[in-house]
Amino acid sequence: MRLLLAEDEQQAGEYLLKGLTENGWVVDWVQTGPDALHMASNASYDVIVLDIGLPQMDGWEVIKRIRIDNKTPVLFLTARDRVEDRVRGLELGADDYLIKPFAFSELLARIRALQRRGKQQEPDIVRIADLEVHLLRRRVERGDQRIDLTAKEYALLLLLMRRTGEVMSRTLIAEQVWDMNFDSDTNVVEVAIRRLRSKVDDPFDKKLIHTVRGFGYVLEDRP
Ligand code: CA
């Protein structure tokens, strides 16, 4: 039972860390948005508890970026009880929320519920043709070959696989994987696609990543 706790306030963080640890959770506690994102992308958690008001990158941005390639249940904490905030969090892909201040017992009940739900929902494997991504192990295989990808290549591949059959524009890919807004220079995407292809497609007869000229890319199993 691993949990990522992102809370910048020292006292609240210590309190939650202690309470959760006493209740059997193995907790990683971080205090900034970038640290939350880093930990969420490099370790596997059952639940993420995320304060919205975090320094350097707020919780909204963290949820948005976590959700590119990660289905770990997220419960967000917000200090303001505003309908817009709750809706925004849920739209960005959070699973539940609590308004501060909250009772610890309620937090515990909510994260247990999320943990159970997460187990049922999380598919272990995303598969297109003979290309497989094992989400929990972050492992990519094609046929019986293992493919080693960088973190960005992995995010890019997963984005294309989750949206299989949809043409993804370079701009959209840039926004989702790099969080960049390109006006004209989408060379970064082209370079990354080329590297990804060299690992995922080039060694194999059947190509899965297709270029849609003048627009972008689509990953699909074409007959
Ligand atoms: Ca805060």
Side-chain angles (χ1 to χ4, degrees):
M1 299 209 302
R2 287 183 56 122
L3 184 145
L4 176 63
L5 170 66
E7 166 62 80
D8 58 313
E9 287 145 51
Q10 188 70 24
Q11 214 180 346
E14 282 173 8
Y15 170 74
L16 292 176
L17 176 64
K18 183 164 174 284
L20 291 166
T21 307
E22 283 170 2
N23 280 278
W25 288 88
V26 177
V27 181
D28 287 332
W29 174 28
V30 295
Q31 293 177 280
T32 70
D35 284 347
L37 189 63
H38 177 78
M39 294 302 284
S41 5
N42 288 287
S44 167
Y45 296 100
D46 296 288
V47 177
I48 297 171
V49 175
L50 182 70
D51 183 31
I52 290 303
L54 288 174
Q56 295 170 50
M57 179 194 293
D58 67 23
W60 305 127
E61 191 59 34
V62 176
I63 297 174
K64 202 171 103 192
R65 293 167 72 162
I66 284 177
R67 275 292 171 263
I68 294 173
D69 65 348
N70 192 325
K71 283 195 158 181
T72 307
V74 173
L75 181 147
F76 70 90
L77 307 175
T78 173
R80 295 184 303 179
D81 184 8
R82 297 200 322 181
V83 174
E84 309 91 273
D85 284 0
R86 282 177 269 154
V87 170
R88 186 176 181 195
L90 299 172
E91 277 179 352
L92 286 171
D95 301 86
D96 201 357
Y97 63 91
L98 272 177
I99 314 281
K100 292 178 172 181
F102 50 82
F104 180 75
S105 56
E106 182 165 17
L107 175 70
L108 206 53
R110 299 281 186 103
I111 59 181
R112 280 179 179 149
L114 283 182
Q115 182 204 11
R116 284 195 297 271
R117 220 199 298 166
K119 283 224 166 73
Q120 288 158 10
Q121 280 180 349
E122 175 85 85
D124 285 350
I125 299 175
V126 181
R127 183 184 292 118
I128 311 288
D130 58 349
L131 177 62
E132 289 181 352
V133 177
H134 299 249
L135 296 173
L136 300 177
R137 289 180 289 155
R138 302 179 74 86
R139 187 183 164 111
V140 179
E141 290 172 2
R142 189 154 181 195
D144 50 11
Q145 272 179 300
R146 180 171 177 173
I147 298 171
D148 287 314
L149 299 179
T150 65
K152 285 294 179 204
E153 288 163 356
Y154 179 82
L156 176 60
L157 177 65
L158 211 46
L159 175 69
L160 293 170
M161 287 183 77
R162 285 200 196 284
R163 310 275 290 264
T164 181
E166 269 180 65
V167 181
M168 307 288 287
S169 72
R170 293 181 183 84
T171 310
L172 186 69
I173 292 172
E175 282 172 8
Q176 298 267 316
V177 178
W178 284 268
D179 196 41
M180 290 156 123
N181 291 303
F182 296 84
D183 286 329
S184 52
D185 181 18
T186 47
N187 194 36
V188 176
V189 176
E190 280 163 39
V191 171
I193 289 276
R194 205 177 306 141
R195 287 214 194 96
L196 184 62
R197 273 184 163 146
S198 75
K199 294 179 179 178
V200 165
D201 265 350
D202 291 353
F204 304 91
D205 286 340
K206 183 172 195 135
K207 309 304 175 198
L208 295 171
I209 301 170
H210 309 278
T211 303
V212 179
R213 282 187 63 186
F215 194 71
Y217 305 93
V218 59
L219 188 153
E220 63 187 346
D221 182 6
R222 290 184 177 170

